[in-house]
């Protein structure tokens, strides 16, 4: 049977390639969207867990985490809340480095636990207002070392240290004094987030709920899955991925059905002959279904490769590698393959049914 399927697909090579290419584009989009959604969640988790924080406080109702704005005056009050071991403000700015809009600049307090968690692999911590420390990934990408100048939109800063935090989100940026980054953001006195360490034995989720009640207008996040409650960009990408899965299933199913109908109509006499020599109708239906399924999976394999390449190229094209890195998870790829299998199966159902209703006498007459 599989030999007959392969022969027919090769016999109509142009039709096979065009249908498989259409399926591949749909699968590639699904793979890329799912990878970007996972990447945004991971980047958000990096922002939430900066410096080993168990949870992060953000302004409620903002479109994305980096647009959050919380007054520094909240920090002492947060520290006094039950279950909170320590809290420190962090300001995050993007677009501070000319021609690199995704470059991240973190404003931190030199005596806060986030700054103390940095492991310096070169130089020292910043002590002056025009000093900066670079993540090792950022230093490598920019070609800078201790003693060099980091030219930002707000001016020039002397690089006095290179650090490693172990979090890609953090290692691809620079740390400056808190007040400097607040000025870069145009919001003096306002931090992006308040990083919170919880007391030993306390549950981060419980502490987060308590903080939300104590400070209306804020939301505390302890798990990456909670990011959609604040970051609408992540939520929109998830919904777009779900919508596109549905559209790909419909459009891909129609494309496969059209291809398979052309195939069975063109081979009506061949199918009739097989019926005349004793082939069961059930076997003919399996032949059609197998051809549609193989066609879809072939397109899906190409689509997975295109999706992986496309996700990486999309991030580079928008210079957003510091903000998000596509995360190609096995389950995301498996979902795309399942959608492709569903396209092939659904698109082949009617052609398979049509074959089972074929009458040898009429087809050969």
């Amino acid at each position: 049977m599989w030999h007959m399927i392969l022969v027919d697909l090769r016999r109509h090579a142009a039709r096979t390639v065009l249908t498989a290419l259409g399926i591949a584009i749909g699968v590639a989009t699904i793979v890329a969207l799912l990878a970007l959604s996972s990447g945004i969640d991971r980047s958000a988790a990096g922002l939430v867990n900066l410096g080993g924080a168990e949870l992060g406080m953000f302004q409620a109702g903002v479109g994305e985490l980096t647009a959050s704005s919380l007054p520094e005056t909240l920090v002492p009050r947060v520290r006094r809340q039950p279950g909170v071991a320590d809290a420190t403000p962090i300001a995050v700015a993007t677009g501070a480095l000319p021609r690199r809009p995704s470059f991240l600049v973190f404003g931190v307090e030199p005596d806060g636990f986030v700054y103390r968690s940095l492991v310096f692999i070169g130089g020292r911590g910043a002590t002056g207002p025009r000093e900066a420390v670079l993540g090792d990934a950022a230093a490598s990408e920019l070609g800078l070392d201790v003693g060099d100048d980091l030219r930002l939109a707000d001016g020039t800063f002397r690089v006095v240290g290179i650090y490693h935090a172990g979090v890609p989100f953090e290692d691809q940026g620079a740390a400056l004094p808190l007040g400097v980054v607040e000025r870069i953001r145009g919001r003096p006195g306002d931090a992006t987030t308040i990083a919170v360490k919880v007391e030993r034995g306390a549950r981060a989720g419980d502490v987060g709920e308590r903080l939300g009640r104590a400070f209306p207008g804020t939301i505390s996040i302890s798990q990456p899955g909670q990011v959609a409650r604040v970051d609408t960009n992540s939520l929109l990408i998830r919904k777009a991925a779900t919508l596109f899965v549905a559209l790909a299933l419909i459009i891909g199913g129609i494309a496969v059905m059209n291809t398979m109908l052309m195939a069975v109509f063109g081979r009506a006499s061949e199918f009739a002959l097989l019926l005349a020599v004793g082939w069961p109708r059930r076997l003919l239906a399996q032949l059609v279904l197998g051809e549609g399924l193989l066609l879809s999976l072939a397109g899906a394999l190409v689509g997975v490769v295109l999706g992986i390449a496309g996700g990486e190229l999309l991030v580079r094209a928008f210079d957003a590698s510091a903000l998000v890195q596509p995360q190609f998870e096995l389950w995301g790829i498996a979902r795309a393959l399942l959608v492709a299998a569903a396209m092939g199966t659904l698109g082949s159902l009617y052609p398979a049914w049509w074959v089972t209703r074929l009458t040898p006498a009429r087809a050969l007459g």
Side-chain angles (χ1 to χ4, degrees), residues 60-364:
V62 295
E64 57 178 326
L65 294 182
T66 54
S68 167
S69 184
L70 296 176
E72 288 182 52
T73 53
L74 284 181
V75 177
R77 297 168 57 194
V78 171
R79 287 174 180 157
R80 292 194 295 268
Q81 293 298 310
V84 174
D86 199 358
T88 186
I90 303 172
V92 182
T94 59
L97 185 64
R99 297 183 299 278
R100 290 182 181 269
S102 68
F103 186 78
L104 297 172
V105 177
F106 302 98
V108 291
E109 292 182 325
D111 57 347
F113 70 83
V114 171
Y115 199 86
R116 294 197 305 268
S117 71
L118 300 178
V119 177
F120 284 90
I121 59 177
R124 57 173 175 82
T127 56
R130 306 308 294 181
E131 294 181 342
V133 293
L134 272 180
D136 52 357
S140 176
E141 183 180 354
L142 297 175
L144 298 178
D145 204 343
V146 175
D148 293 334
D149 289 335
L150 175 65
R151 293 180 174 82
L152 302 177
D154 193 59
T156 300
F157 296 81
R158 177 61 56 89
V159 177
V160 297
I162 307 294
Y163 68 82
H164 178 77
V167 180
F169 188 80
E170 196 171 353
D171 289 336
Q172 292 177 338
L176 277 68
L178 179 63
V180 173
V181 178
E182 289 176 345
R183 287 200 308 273
I184 292 175
R185 298 179 75 227
R187 298 174 182 176
D190 282 1
T192 304
T193 178
I194 298 175
V196 178
K197 271 189 170 295
V198 302
E199 293 178 347
R200 180 170 296 182
R203 294 180 55 187
D206 295 339
V207 175
E209 291 179 4
R210 192 178 300 122
L211 291 174
R213 291 192 297 267
F215 303 99
T218 70
I219 186 169
S220 297
I221 300 175
S222 58
Q223 299 293 331
Q226 300 172 332
V227 170
R229 294 163 58 191
V230 176
D231 198 322
T232 55
N233 291 337
S234 176
L235 182 61
L236 285 174
I237 288 182
R238 282 198 186 92
K239 289 187 175 181
T242 302
L243 177 62
F244 199 87
V245 165
L247 289 175
L249 190 58
I250 295 171
I251 296 172
I254 292 173
V256 173
M257 183 173 65
N258 180 66
T259 298
M260 296 311 301
L261 280 174
M262 293 175 64
V264 297
F265 289 163
R267 298 168 63 193
S269 58
E270 179 184 336
F271 288 133
L273 183 60
L274 290 174
L275 286 171
V277 298
W279 266 52
R281 296 180 184 274
R282 172 182 53 81
L283 200 57
L284 288 182
Q286 290 177 2
L287 183 67
V288 175
L289 286 170
E291 186 170 329
L293 185 60
L294 184 61
L295 179 62
S296 295
L297 291 179
L301 292 176
V302 176
V304 168
V305 176
L306 292 176
I308 293 174
E312 295 285 356
L313 289 175
L314 187 64
V315 169
R316 293 179 184 178
F318 287 97
D319 193 23
S321 58
L323 294 175
V324 58
Q325 284 291 331
Q327 299 298 310
F328 299 99
E329 300 173 348
L330 184 59
W331 173 230
I333 294 174
R335 274 187 287 180
L337 293 176
L338 288 173
V339 169
M343 290 180 194
T345 302
L346 294 176
S348 301
L349 286 177
Y350 177 70
W353 176 84
W354 185 88
V355 167
T356 64
R357 309 299 297 174
L358 190 64
T359 304
R362 293 182 57 187
L364 294 173

